[in-house]
Amino acid sequence: MHKGIEIDPALAALIRHMRAIDDYRQIFDRLQASWDTLTLLGQLSGGATEMSGTRSAFETLTASLLAHLAAETRDKAMTDLRTKAQNAIDVLVRNLFERTADIGFLAADTDIRELLEQPESGDEARAAMQARFRDYVAKYSVYSDIILIDREGDIRARLAAHPATKARHAIVDEALSSTGAYVELYGRIDFVGDTDALVYAWRVEDAARRPLGVLVLVFRLADEMEGIYRKLLPENDWTVLGCVTPGGHVVAGSCPIQLPVGLKIAPAALSGRDPVLRLGGRQYLAMTCRPSGYQGYMGPGWIGLGLVPLEAAFEQGEGEIGAAIGEELLASVTSRSDLFSAELRSVSRQAAMIQSDLNRSVWNGSIRQAGSTEANAAFSKILLWEISSAGRKTQSVCDASIGDLQRTVVAAIMEKCRSCAAFAIDVMDRNLYERANDCRWWALNATFARVLAAPSTEGAKTCADILATINALYTVYSNLILFDANGRVVAVSQASEAHLVGQVLEAEWVQRTLSLRSGQHYAVSAFEPSDLYGGASTLIYTAAVQGEGTGRTIGGIAIVFDSTPQFAAILKDALPADEAGLAMPGAFALLVGKDGRIVSSSDARFPVGSQSPFAVNPEALARDGDVAWIRSFDGKYGAVGAAFSKGYREYKTSDGHEPDMTAICAVPLGDVVDAAATRPATAGSGTGTLSSWRVPDGVSAFEVATFHIGGHWLGVKARDVIEAVDVDGLKPSARKAVDGLLAGYKLHQGQPVPVLRLDRLLGVASAQGEQPQIVIVQSGGRQFGLIVDTLGPIPAIAASELQPLRDVTHKADVPALGVVATRDASGAPGGMLVLLDVDRLGASMSGEAAQETLIRAAE
């Protein structure tokens, strides 16, 4: 229990930080006090409607509403936190997956092996190897150091300056004896530095597979994590992201003050059972995420951590995105959407039902007081209007609170789509960064250069073996191809593609590759169908192979990116997810080229090569940044996020190549509906103004019981009305009425009363989503009912204000006495009221349907 609200115990530590919930609670408390007063006055007056049931129903409803709002507010915050923490750890794991392949290939590098095969390496050989390491890091800038160690632990060469000449850490022995593909270690290593480092090690072997030594790559973890966090967290975001070991040691954090590296967090706090984490004297909303993994690789076992201070966790609101959502658009988006729990949707329906019952009760009370001149009757009328006003205010606050949450949730989904699109394009940029690096580095392999300079069958077989070894490590390629200066294929990595050997490649990228004059440059094909990829569309990255010591291009290497599954995996991981981490219903993601054609799609409705369903301006995205919109597609509104490629490190930022891809993520929000069809009637609906509309004393007047059907304001004289009842229990007619005008029979005071479908008689459309009412009227001693959408005010009308139908239309055969152009207390137009003739309506129950509708006659 929190301030009179019965809540889930899991919310107890959170709800006091939800300022918006507390604000609404105070408003409801004030309204409840009004209900108490009105209930007491109703009992004292004796003539007003009994309000204790309505008061109790609203009290129960508002408590339930606040509890559900608190739960939805928590879930929204947790989902946002999960998205950021999950993206951070998944981006890191994908990056580290590439490192596990790098160490395997680099350890097999010809120059590295040859250096270790020499008993001693002089200064010249050491300098040459250091230059080769610099060349490698110039392409793979994710490494801070490369260290080559022989079997005795002597450091034979390294990239970074360090006083150590011998490696004594156990990682050397483990790499020499391990049967695994690599050794991954995070910790303090004597020959690396005085702080914890993430390294990858693997043994270097001779031709007979005997160990010669160990190669160690030192990953630039702090630099990489800083870049990941910078992309995920805007400047004004209170969120703190981190990466922790299962033992609770912080490996990296986005804020060195709140989450410094080396901080120890109790492992129990990372279990996820308690959403509140106490850290450094401050309370945080916390979310932990295990990595999703990539091609079976789960990373070093680290956990993604998301934190946001409790005092700010629920105050971020919908921001600029929410402010841009118009009221009508929001109503359309949320009118037929499953954005909220069934419980919260039921609260909204219950509020409407309570208000409908209240309106009917007040309306009937006003009917009973109609025509009375007693002082008590006048007081009762005023009290009834106040009761009605209190009901409207209560439901208005219910609607406003749910509406605010709807806006916030829709904005959060839009932001999630934008975030997921940014994640997808970032992962794609990082993926293709590796491809551009791989081809350039492999082109430097000394064996390739020697075989191309002096071709031989045995040499070609050796190259094929090397390519096959590389392809086994780098599973993102469907084939690796070595070709000579004439474009003739010398070797391939896949035995199934051996038929390519000897063929001349005719693609335009071949000549572009052979014209490259530097090992720092690469070429890439357009995303288009290729015979090298079974006729499907893909990207082919290439680099020139230069002769040893000559710098002359003697061939090239082409790597065929396995784009279909690789892009599909990126999009699958980028799908917007709910608080359980599952893809939201109907969510899909696309990669789109600059020409607007789809490069990859997670949804079969939008195949590769077809035009994107969303028009995107890449230049605007590049200039203004990632965006989020609400767009319509396939008859639905959807939250859509889009992000244009920004490159990664040197890739497409300073390597001479331009970004050319957009990622789009979308989530359906609800069916596209005509807002006008669902908009409630406005004509004469301002009961507050009409209640104060008075007819001067001595003026002949009558009271009108009004109601609405669709957008039309109609009424009958109050003296002809018995009461309004709900539609429950309406029995269909045993006989078929003319044109279906007879809806059935309603048991009223023990007698079956025929009920007329007034909308069909008048030829107007009923409003959708309303709670229908039946108005029981009498004519000539006979009772019958009229189905209406909602009940309206019961104003007094001066007889002189009623205009006969002949004054406004030439139609005569319509069931109406006339029309009234009403005005409110200030004299402003209050709407056009059509006064129906109950005698003629009664006649229609047994006669033929009217030939002309009232609305057409009034036109």
Side-chain angles (χ1 to χ4, degrees), residues 110-111 132 442-455 459 463 466 482-483 490 544-557:
T110 302
D111 291 344
R132 187 155 178 78
W442 298 338
L444 297 180
N445 187 291
T447 300
F448 294 161
R450 292 167 189 171
V451 171
L452 288 177
C463 290
I466 293 174
L482 181 69
F483 56 91
V490 174
V545 177
Q546 296 177 332
E548 287 187 297
T550 67
R552 183 173 60 86
T553 297
I554 57 175
I557 186 169

Coordinates of all heavy atoms in Angstrom, one line a residue, residues 110-111 132 442-455 459 463 466 482-483 490 544-557:
T110 N 53.3 -15.5 -42.8 CA 54.6 -16.1 -43.3 C 55.7 -15.3 -42.7 O 56.7 -15.9 -42.2 CB 54.6 -16.0 -44.8 OG1 53.6 -16.7 -45.4 CG2 56.0 -16.5 -45.3
D111 N 55.7 -14.0 -42.7 CA 56.8 -13.2 -42.1 C 57.0 -13.5 -40.6 O 58.2 -13.5 -40.2 CB 56.6 -11.7 -42.4 CG 56.7 -11.4 -43.9 OD1 57.2 -12.2 -44.6 OD2 56.2 -10.3 -44.2
R132 N 56.0 -4.1 -39.8 CA 54.9 -4.9 -40.3 C 53.7 -4.8 -39.3 O 52.6 -4.8 -39.7 CB 55.3 -6.4 -40.4 CG 54.3 -7.3 -41.1 CD 54.9 -8.5 -41.8 NE 53.9 -9.3 -42.3 CZ 53.2 -9.1 -43.5 NH1 53.5 -8.0 -44.2 NH2 52.3 -10.0 -43.9
W442 N 45.4 -9.4 -45.9 CA 45.7 -10.7 -46.6 C 46.5 -10.5 -47.9 O 47.3 -11.3 -48.3 CB 44.5 -11.5 -46.8 CG 43.7 -11.8 -45.5 CD1 44.3 -11.8 -44.3 CD2 42.3 -12.1 -45.4 NE1 43.3 -12.1 -43.4 CE2 42.1 -12.3 -44.0 CE3 41.3 -12.2 -46.3 CZ2 40.8 -12.6 -43.5 CZ3 40.0 -12.5 -45.8 CH2 39.8 -12.7 -44.4
A443 N 46.3 -9.3 -48.5 CA 47.0 -9.0 -49.7 C 48.5 -8.9 -49.5 O 49.3 -8.9 -50.4 CB 46.5 -7.8 -50.4
L444 N 48.9 -8.6 -48.2 CA 50.3 -8.5 -47.8 C 51.0 -9.8 -47.6 O 52.2 -9.8 -47.3 CB 50.4 -7.6 -46.6 CG 49.9 -6.1 -46.7 CD1 50.1 -5.4 -45.4 CD2 50.6 -5.4 -47.9
N445 N 50.3 -10.9 -47.6 CA 50.9 -12.2 -47.3 C 52.0 -12.5 -48.3 O 51.8 -12.4 -49.5 CB 49.8 -13.3 -47.4 CG 50.4 -14.6 -47.0 OD1 51.2 -15.2 -47.6 ND2 49.9 -15.1 -45.8
A446 N 53.2 -12.7 -47.8 CA 54.4 -12.9 -48.6 C 54.2 -14.1 -49.6 O 54.7 -14.0 -50.7 CB 55.6 -13.1 -47.8
T447 N 53.6 -15.1 -49.2 CA 53.4 -16.3 -50.0 C 52.6 -16.0 -51.3 O 53.0 -16.4 -52.4 CB 52.7 -17.4 -49.3 OG1 53.5 -17.8 -48.1 CG2 52.5 -18.7 -50.1
F448 N 51.6 -15.2 -51.1 CA 50.8 -14.7 -52.3 C 51.6 -14.0 -53.3 O 51.6 -14.2 -54.5 CB 49.6 -13.9 -51.9 CG 48.5 -14.6 -51.0 CD1 47.7 -13.9 -50.2 CD2 48.5 -16.0 -51.0 CE1 46.7 -14.5 -49.5 CE2 47.5 -16.6 -50.2 CZ 46.6 -15.9 -49.5
A449 N 52.4 -13.1 -52.8 CA 53.3 -12.3 -53.7 C 54.3 -13.1 -54.4 O 54.5 -13.0 -55.6 CB 54.0 -11.2 -52.9
R450 N 54.9 -14.1 -53.7 CA 55.9 -15.0 -54.3 C 55.3 -15.9 -55.4 O 55.9 -16.1 -56.5 CB 56.5 -15.8 -53.2 CG 57.4 -15.0 -52.2 CD 57.8 -15.8 -51.0 NE 58.4 -15.0 -50.0 CZ 58.7 -15.4 -48.8 NH1 58.4 -16.6 -48.4 NH2 59.2 -14.6 -47.9
V451 N 54.1 -16.4 -55.1 CA 53.5 -17.3 -56.1 C 53.0 -16.5 -57.3 O 53.2 -17.0 -58.5 CB 52.3 -18.1 -55.4 CG1 51.5 -18.8 -56.5 CG2 52.8 -19.0 -54.4
L452 N 52.5 -15.3 -57.1 CA 52.1 -14.5 -58.3 C 53.2 -14.1 -59.1 O 53.1 -13.9 -60.4 CB 51.2 -13.3 -57.8 CG 49.8 -13.6 -57.3 CD1 49.2 -12.3 -56.8 CD2 49.0 -14.3 -58.4
A453 N 54.4 -13.9 -58.5 CA 55.6 -13.4 -59.2 C 56.2 -14.6 -59.9 O 56.8 -14.4 -61.0 CB 56.6 -12.9 -58.2
A454 N 56.1 -15.8 -59.4 CA 56.6 -17.0 -60.0 C 55.6 -18.1 -60.0 O 55.7 -19.0 -59.1 CB 57.9 -17.4 -59.3
P455 N 54.6 -18.1 -60.9 CA 53.5 -19.1 -60.8 C 54.0 -20.5 -60.9 O 54.9 -20.8 -61.7 CB 52.6 -18.7 -62.0 CG 53.0 -17.2 -62.3 CD 54.5 -17.2 -62.0
G459 N 52.7 -23.9 -56.0 CA 52.5 -22.6 -55.4 C 51.0 -22.2 -55.3 O 50.5 -21.7 -54.3
C463 N 48.7 -21.5 -52.0 CA 47.8 -20.3 -51.8 C 46.4 -20.8 -51.5 O 45.7 -20.2 -50.6 CB 47.8 -19.5 -53.1 SG 49.4 -18.6 -53.3
I466 N 46.2 -21.7 -47.9 CA 46.2 -20.6 -47.0 C 44.8 -19.9 -47.0 O 44.2 -19.5 -46.0 CB 47.2 -19.6 -47.4 CG1 48.6 -20.2 -47.2 CG2 47.1 -18.2 -46.7 CD1 49.8 -19.3 -47.7
L482 N 42.1 -15.4 -55.2 CA 43.4 -14.8 -55.5 C 43.5 -14.8 -57.1 O 43.3 -15.8 -57.7 CB 44.6 -15.6 -54.9 CG 46.0 -15.0 -55.2 CD1 46.2 -13.7 -54.5 CD2 47.1 -16.1 -54.8
F483 N 43.8 -13.6 -57.6 CA 43.9 -13.5 -59.1 C 45.1 -12.7 -59.5 O 45.7 -12.0 -58.7 CB 42.6 -12.8 -59.7 CG 42.3 -11.5 -59.2 CD1 42.8 -10.3 -59.8 CD2 41.5 -11.3 -58.0 CE1 42.5 -9.1 -59.3 CE2 41.2 -10.1 -57.6 CZ 41.7 -8.9 -58.2
V490 N 43.8 -17.6 -59.7 CA 44.9 -18.5 -59.3 C 44.5 -19.5 -58.3 O 44.9 -20.7 -58.3 CB 46.2 -17.7 -58.9 CG1 47.3 -18.6 -58.4 CG2 46.6 -16.8 -60.0
A544 N 45.0 -4.9 -53.8 CA 46.0 -5.3 -54.7 C 47.2 -6.0 -54.0 O 47.5 -5.7 -52.8 CB 46.6 -4.0 -55.4
V545 N 47.7 -7.1 -54.7 CA 48.9 -7.8 -54.2 C 50.1 -7.2 -54.9 O 50.1 -7.1 -56.1 CB 48.8 -9.3 -54.4 CG1 50.1 -10.0 -54.0 CG2 47.6 -9.9 -53.7
Q546 N 51.1 -6.7 -54.1 CA 52.3 -6.1 -54.7 C 53.5 -7.0 -54.6 O 53.6 -7.7 -53.6 CB 52.5 -4.7 -54.1 CG 51.4 -3.7 -54.3 CD 51.6 -2.4 -53.5 OE1 52.3 -2.4 -52.5 NE2 51.0 -1.4 -54.0
G547 N 54.4 -6.9 -55.6 CA 55.6 -7.7 -55.6 C 56.5 -7.3 -54.5 O 56.6 -6.1 -54.1
E548 N 57.2 -8.3 -53.9 CA 58.1 -8.1 -52.8 C 59.3 -7.2 -53.3 O 60.0 -7.5 -54.2 CB 58.7 -9.4 -52.3 CG 57.7 -10.3 -51.5 CD 58.3 -11.5 -50.9 OE1 58.9 -12.3 -51.7 OE2 58.3 -11.6 -49.7
G549 N 59.4 -6.1 -52.6 CA 60.5 -5.1 -52.9 C 60.3 -4.3 -54.1 O 61.1 -3.4 -54.4
T550 N 59.2 -4.5 -54.9 CA 59.1 -3.7 -56.1 C 57.9 -2.7 -56.0 O 58.0 -1.7 -56.7 CB 58.7 -4.7 -57.3 OG1 57.4 -5.3 -57.1 CG2 59.8 -5.8 -57.4
G551 N 56.9 -3.0 -55.2 CA 55.8 -2.1 -55.1 C 54.9 -2.1 -56.3 O 53.9 -1.4 -56.4
R552 N 55.2 -3.0 -57.3 CA 54.4 -3.2 -58.5 C 53.2 -4.1 -58.3 O 53.4 -5.2 -57.7 CB 55.3 -3.7 -59.7 CG 54.6 -3.8 -61.0 CD 55.6 -4.1 -62.1 NE 56.2 -5.4 -61.8 CZ 55.7 -6.6 -62.2 NH1 54.6 -6.6 -62.8 NH2 56.4 -7.7 -61.9
T553 N 52.0 -3.7 -58.7 CA 50.9 -4.6 -58.6 C 51.0 -5.8 -59.5 O 51.1 -5.7 -60.7 CB 49.6 -3.8 -58.9 OG1 49.4 -2.7 -58.0 CG2 48.4 -4.7 -58.8
I554 N 50.9 -7.0 -58.9 CA 51.0 -8.2 -59.7 C 49.8 -9.1 -59.6 O 49.7 -10.2 -60.1 CB 52.2 -9.0 -59.2 CG1 52.2 -9.4 -57.7 CG2 53.5 -8.3 -59.5 CD1 53.3 -10.3 -57.3
G555 N 48.7 -8.6 -58.9 CA 47.5 -9.3 -58.8 C 46.6 -8.7 -57.7 O 46.8 -7.6 -57.3
G556 N 45.7 -9.5 -57.3 CA 44.8 -9.0 -56.2 C 44.1 -10.1 -55.5 O 44.1 -11.3 -55.9
I557 N 43.4 -9.8 -54.4 CA 42.6 -10.7 -53.7 C 41.2 -10.2 -53.5 O 41.0 -9.0 -53.3 CB 43.3 -11.0 -52.3 CG1 42.5 -12.1 -51.6 CG2 43.3 -9.7 -51.4 CD1 43.2 -12.6 -50.3

